[in-house]
Coordinates of all heavy atoms in Angstrom, one line a residue:
N119 N -36.2 5.0 46.5 CA -35.6 3.7 46.2 C -34.3 3.5 47.0 O -34.0 2.4 47.5 CB -35.4 3.4 44.8 CG -36.7 3.2 44.0 OD1 -37.7 2.9 44.6 ND2 -36.6 3.3 42.7
E120 N -33.5 4.6 47.1 CA -32.2 4.5 47.9 C -32.5 4.3 49.4 O -31.8 3.4 50.0 CB -31.4 5.8 47.7 CG -30.8 5.9 46.3 CD -30.0 7.2 46.1 OE1 -29.9 7.9 47.1 OE2 -29.7 7.5 45.0
L121 N -33.5 5.0 49.9 CA -33.8 4.9 51.3 C -34.4 3.5 51.7 O -34.1 2.9 52.7 CB -34.7 6.0 51.8 CG -34.2 7.4 51.8 CD1 -35.3 8.4 52.1 CD2 -33.0 7.5 52.7
G122 N -35.2 3.0 50.7 CA -35.8 1.7 50.9 C -34.9 0.5 50.6 O -35.2 -0.6 50.9
G123 N -33.7 0.8 50.1 CA -32.7 -0.2 49.8 C -33.2 -1.1 48.6 O -32.7 -2.1 48.4
E124 N -34.1 -0.5 47.8 CA -34.6 -1.3 46.7 C -33.8 -0.8 45.4 O -33.5 0.3 45.3 CB -36.1 -1.1 46.5 CG -36.9 -1.6 47.6 CD -38.4 -1.3 47.5 OE1 -38.8 -0.8 46.4 OE2 -39.1 -1.7 48.3
G125 N -33.7 -1.7 44.5 CA -33.1 -1.4 43.2 C -34.2 -0.9 42.3 O -35.3 -0.4 42.8
P126 N -34.0 -1.0 41.0 CA -35.0 -0.6 40.0 C -36.3 -1.3 40.1 O -37.4 -0.8 39.8 CB -34.4 -0.8 38.7 CG -33.1 -1.4 38.9 CD -32.8 -1.5 40.4
A127 N -36.3 -2.6 40.5 CA -37.5 -3.4 40.6 C -38.1 -3.3 42.0 O -37.3 -3.1 43.0 CB -37.2 -4.9 40.3
R128 N -39.4 -3.5 42.2 CA -40.0 -3.6 43.5 C -39.5 -4.8 44.3 O -39.1 -5.8 43.7 CB -41.5 -3.6 43.4 CG -42.0 -2.4 42.7 CD -43.5 -2.6 42.5 NE -44.2 -1.6 43.3 CZ -45.5 -1.6 43.3 NH1 -46.2 -2.4 42.6 NH2 -46.1 -0.7 44.1
S129 N -39.5 -4.7 45.5 CA -39.0 -5.8 46.4 C -39.8 -7.1 46.1 O -41.0 -7.1 46.0 CB -39.2 -5.4 47.9 OG -38.8 -6.5 48.7
G130 N -39.0 -8.2 45.8 CA -39.6 -9.5 45.5 C -40.0 -9.7 44.1 O -40.5 -10.7 43.7
E131 N -39.8 -8.7 43.2 CA -40.2 -8.8 41.8 C -38.9 -8.8 41.0 O -38.0 -8.0 41.2 CB -41.1 -7.7 41.4 CG -42.4 -7.7 42.0 CD -43.3 -6.4 41.6 OE1 -42.9 -5.8 40.6 OE2 -44.2 -6.1 42.3
P132 N -38.9 -9.6 39.9 CA -37.7 -9.6 39.1 C -37.7 -8.3 38.3 O -38.7 -7.7 38.0 CB -37.9 -10.8 38.1 CG -39.3 -11.2 38.3 CD -39.8 -10.7 39.6
A133 N -36.5 -7.8 37.9 CA -36.4 -6.6 37.1 C -37.1 -6.7 35.8 O -37.1 -7.8 35.2 CB -34.9 -6.3 36.9
G134 N -37.7 -5.7 35.4 CA -38.4 -5.7 34.1 C -39.9 -6.0 34.2 O -40.6 -6.1 33.2
T135 N -40.4 -6.4 35.4 CA -41.8 -6.7 35.5 C -42.5 -5.6 36.3 O -41.9 -4.8 37.0 CB -42.0 -8.0 36.3 OG1 -41.5 -7.8 37.6 CG2 -41.4 -9.2 35.6
E136 N -43.7 -5.4 36.0 CA -44.5 -4.4 36.6 C -45.6 -5.0 37.4 O -46.2 -6.0 37.0 CB -45.1 -3.4 35.6 CG -44.1 -2.6 34.9 CD -44.7 -1.7 33.8 OE1 -45.9 -1.4 34.0 OE2 -44.0 -1.3 32.9
A137 N -46.0 -4.5 38.5 CA -47.1 -5.0 39.3 C -48.4 -4.6 38.7 O -48.6 -3.5 38.2 CB -47.0 -4.5 40.7
Q138 N -49.3 -5.6 38.7 CA -50.7 -5.3 38.2 C -51.5 -4.9 39.4 O -51.3 -5.4 40.5 CB -51.3 -6.6 37.6 CG -50.6 -7.1 36.4 CD -50.9 -6.2 35.2 OE1 -52.0 -5.7 35.1 NE2 -50.0 -6.1 34.3
P139 N -52.5 -3.9 39.2 CA -53.3 -3.6 40.3 C -54.1 -4.8 40.8 O -54.4 -5.7 40.0 CB -54.3 -2.5 39.7 CG -53.6 -2.0 38.5 CD -52.7 -3.1 38.0
S140 N -54.4 -4.9 42.0 CA -55.0 -6.1 42.6 C -56.4 -6.4 42.0 O -56.8 -7.6 42.0 CB -55.2 -5.9 44.1 OG -56.0 -4.8 44.4
D141 N -57.1 -5.5 41.4 CA -58.4 -5.8 40.8 C -58.3 -6.0 39.3 O -59.3 -6.1 38.6 CB -59.4 -4.7 41.1 CG -59.0 -3.3 40.5 OD1 -57.9 -3.2 40.1 OD2 -59.9 -2.4 40.5
T142 N -57.1 -6.1 38.8 CA -56.9 -6.3 37.4 C -56.1 -7.6 37.2 O -54.9 -7.7 37.5 CB -56.1 -5.2 36.7 OG1 -56.8 -4.0 37.0 CG2 -56.0 -5.4 35.2
P143 N -56.7 -8.7 36.7 CA -56.0 -9.9 36.4 C -54.9 -9.7 35.4 O -54.9 -8.7 34.6 CB -57.1 -10.9 35.8 CG -58.4 -10.2 36.2 CD -58.1 -8.8 36.3
V144 N -54.0 -10.6 35.3 CA -52.8 -10.5 34.4 C -53.3 -10.3 33.0 O -52.7 -9.6 32.2 CB -51.9 -11.7 34.5 CG1 -50.8 -11.6 33.5 CG2 -51.3 -11.8 35.9
G145 N -54.4 -10.9 32.6 CA -54.9 -10.7 31.2 C -55.4 -9.3 30.9 O -55.5 -8.9 29.7
G146 N -55.6 -8.5 31.9 CA -56.0 -7.1 31.7 C -57.4 -6.8 31.7 O -57.9 -5.7 31.6
T147 N -58.3 -7.8 32.0 CA -59.7 -7.6 32.0 C -60.1 -7.3 33.5 O -59.8 -8.1 34.4 CB -60.5 -8.8 31.6 OG1 -60.1 -9.2 30.3 CG2 -62.0 -8.6 31.6
R148 N -60.8 -6.2 33.7 CA -61.1 -5.9 35.1 C -62.3 -6.7 35.5 O -63.2 -6.9 34.8 CB -61.5 -4.4 35.2 CG -60.2 -3.5 35.0 CD -60.6 -2.1 35.0 NE -61.0 -1.7 36.3 CZ -60.3 -1.0 37.2 NH1 -59.1 -0.7 36.9 NH2 -60.8 -0.7 38.4
T149 N -62.3 -7.0 36.8 CA -63.4 -7.8 37.4 C -64.4 -7.0 38.2 O -65.4 -7.4 38.7 CB -62.9 -8.9 38.2 OG1 -62.0 -8.4 39.3 CG2 -62.1 -9.9 37.4
D150 N -64.0 -5.7 38.4 CA -64.8 -4.9 39.3 C -65.8 -4.0 38.6 O -66.4 -3.1 39.2 CB -63.9 -4.0 40.2 CG -63.1 -3.0 39.4 OD1 -63.1 -3.1 38.2 OD2 -62.4 -2.2 40.1
G151 N -65.9 -4.1 37.3 CA -66.8 -3.3 36.4 C -66.2 -1.9 36.2 O -66.9 -1.1 35.6
G152 N -65.0 -1.6 36.6 CA -64.4 -0.3 36.5 C -63.9 -0.1 35.1 O -63.9 -1.0 34.2
S153 N -63.4 1.1 34.8 CA -62.9 1.5 33.5 C -61.4 1.5 33.5 O -60.8 1.8 34.6 CB -63.4 2.9 33.1 OG -62.7 3.4 32.0
D154 N -60.7 1.1 32.4 CA -59.3 1.2 32.3 C -58.9 2.5 31.7 O -57.8 2.6 31.1 CB -58.8 0.0 31.4 CG -58.7 -1.3 32.3 OD1 -58.6 -1.2 33.5 OD2 -58.8 -2.3 31.6

Side-chain angles (χ1 to χ4, degrees):
N119 287 344
E120 286 175 13
L121 292 176
E124 297 178 4
R128 296 173 112 181
S129 179
E131 293 176 18
T135 63
E136 295 179 22
Q138 295 286 330
S140 60
D141 62 350
T142 305
V144 175
T147 306
R148 292 179 65 103
T149 57
D150 64 353
S153 167
D154 282 336

